[in-house]
Amino acid sequence: MSDSNKTDFTNPSTFILVGIPGLEAAHVWISIPFCAMYTIAVLGNFIILFIVKTEPSLHGPMYYFLCMLAVTDLVLTTSTLPKTLSIYWFNSREIDFSACLSQLYFIHCFLLIESGIFVAMAFDRYVAICHPLRHSTILTNSMVAKIGLAVVFRGGILILPYPFLVRQWPYCRTNIIPHTHCEHIAVVNLACADTRVSSYYGLFVVFCVRGLDMIFIAVSYTHILKAIFSLPTKDARLKALGTCSSHLCAILSFYIPGLFSSLTHRYGHNVPLHFHVLIANVYLLVPPMLNPIIYGVRTKQIRDRLLRLFTHKGT
């Protein structure tokens, strides 16, 4: 390692992103599925936004939350994948210190926003199924806007300590980050100081904030399932389950890889580093790619509008 990477500096001018440690020779091949997933995520989420905007019958709370989810996924993937692909294709590994902090903030902020949106969507399904006659009076357009602003404000404020804490640490070991992007723990691990405040706060966000989100979703769906199975006919039960199935699939694709990634990064000390990095990339890519597919296939209104769109273009 060069001397320039060992000299004392409080705030390095640049960090060096390695990519996937140990798999540098396979970066070009790894970039192919990554680029494909990113393309699907961008196109899919833009199609969701276009369909909801152009179809008046979809102007309701459920679809407004879906649009918020699509925008969040677009920001989340675009904040990481272009830089990751530039590492794979052009060996462009340098990233400015401020740009690294900005990327770190956007990644974790929008992950928390996405978690909040899933809570809002669970609340929407709870009201729609358990209190259907009050749905339009409870979830008005102004209430949906307030919930959306609250979710964004919560994510922005709770993640704000991340870059401020990272900026104050001295970095006297190295400025090489063994990752494809500026992930919080990966950057904190480079500091030559007692960084337990950052680690504990990161654990608080993961287990307390997002943990509470998961508990709220679980409680909501417990009440939803009770209401569904108390419906008198099989057709009514299947219809009600159908309105929730896409949301449940999206929730599972978001929380399971995220929880697995957080736990292996903090406690899986015997897990190879390249596996950590791959799981972190899958976590940032797969949910944004799957969400428009899940909602496009499982939501009848979106599926019908999409079929009409392509049929009209075909004729």
Side-chain angles (χ1 to χ4, degrees):
M1 192 177 295
S2 64
D3 292 337
S4 63
N5 290 331
K6 292 182 178 179
T7 55
D8 289 346
F9 44 85
T10 303
N11 287 341
S13 59
T14 60
F15 280 123
I16 306 296
L17 293 167
V18 171
I20 302 179
L23 298 179
E24 289 86 352
H27 274 176
V28 174
W29 295 107
I30 294 170
S31 72
I32 296 172
F34 276 38
C35 185
M37 287 190 286
Y38 177 56
T39 303
I40 293 169
V42 170
L43 289 176
N45 284 294
F46 269 120
I47 288 171
I48 291 290
L49 290 170
F50 174 77
I51 288 174
V52 174
K53 183 180 185 298
T54 57
E55 182 59 50
S57 65
L58 300 182
H59 293 178
M62 175 181 171
Y63 301 101
Y64 291 148
F65 289 133
L66 183 55
C67 287
M68 294 178 198
L69 184 66
V71 171
T72 302
D73 283 339
L74 286 170
V75 175
L76 195 56
T77 53
T78 304
S79 65
T80 57
L81 257 295
K83 181 59 182 177
T84 299
L85 292 176
S86 73
I87 296 170
Y88 293 160
W89 291 341
F90 311 114
N91 200 32
S92 175
R93 301 190 300 163
E94 285 194 2
I95 184 169
D96 184 76
F97 182 71
S98 297
C100 183
L101 294 186
S102 299
Q103 187 186 59
L104 181 154
Y105 178 78
F106 273 96
I107 291 169
H108 294 280
C109 174
F110 278 86
L111 283 173
L112 200 57
I113 288 172
E114 184 149 343
S115 180
I117 292 170
F118 280 126
V119 173
M121 295 174 84
F123 177 67
D124 170 66
R125 291 299 85 203
Y126 165 75
V127 177
I129 291 173
C130 298
H131 305 284
L133 298 178
R134 299 174 58 197
H135 184 259
S136 59
T137 57
I138 294 174
L139 282 166
T140 60
N141 288 344
S142 62
M143 179 56 69
V144 170
K146 289 175 184 176
I147 291 172
L149 288 173
V151 167
V152 172
F153 183 77
R154 185 192 73 153
I157 292 298
L158 286 175
I159 299 302
L160 204 56
Y162 277 22
F164 279 108
L165 288 171
V166 168
R167 184 178 285 277
Q168 78 171 9
W169 305 130
Y171 296 89
C172 55
R173 295 172 183 166
T174 179
N175 64 340
I176 296 177
I177 302 174
H179 216 295
T180 57
H181 55 266
C182 292
E183 206 275 336
H184 177 238
I185 294 300
V187 178
V188 168
N189 286 341
L190 301 183
C192 53
D194 187 354
T195 60
R196 284 180 294 181
V197 174
S198 282
S199 297
Y200 291 155
Y201 187 74
L203 287 172
F204 163 75
V205 171
V206 170
F207 289 106
C208 294
V209 181
R210 293 176 65 182
L212 284 174
D213 287 351
M214 294 172 68
I215 290 170
F216 186 90
I217 291 170
V219 171
S220 296
Y221 270 92
T222 300
H223 289 288
I224 288 168
L225 291 174
K226 284 181 180 178
I228 288 173
F229 289 114
S230 65
L231 293 173
T233 64
K234 183 180 178 181
D235 288 342
R237 289 194 292 269
L238 290 174
K239 184 178 179 180
L241 281 171
T243 63
C244 300
S245 60
S246 54
H247 185 216
L248 282 172
C249 291
I251 287 171
L252 292 175
S253 72
F254 176 76
Y255 283 107
I256 291 175
L259 191 61
F260 184 72
S261 176
S262 296
L263 291 175
T264 55
H265 208 91
R266 285 175 169 82
Y267 305 112
H269 302 298
N270 297 324
V271 178
L273 185 56
H274 66 266
F275 184 77
H276 283 298
V277 178
L278 280 171
I279 289 296
N281 279 273
V282 166
Y283 175 45
L284 292 178
L285 260 179
V286 172
M289 179 193 69
L290 286 181
N291 287 340
I293 296 173
I294 290 169
Y295 285 102
V297 171
R298 296 294 303 171
T299 308
K300 185 179 184 299
Q301 293 90 332
I302 293 177
R303 187 173 66 247
D304 291 347
R305 181 68 179 86
L306 192 60
L307 288 173
R308 290 203 306 273
L309 181 68
F310 283 108
T311 304
H312 176 71
K313 284 187 176 182
T315 55

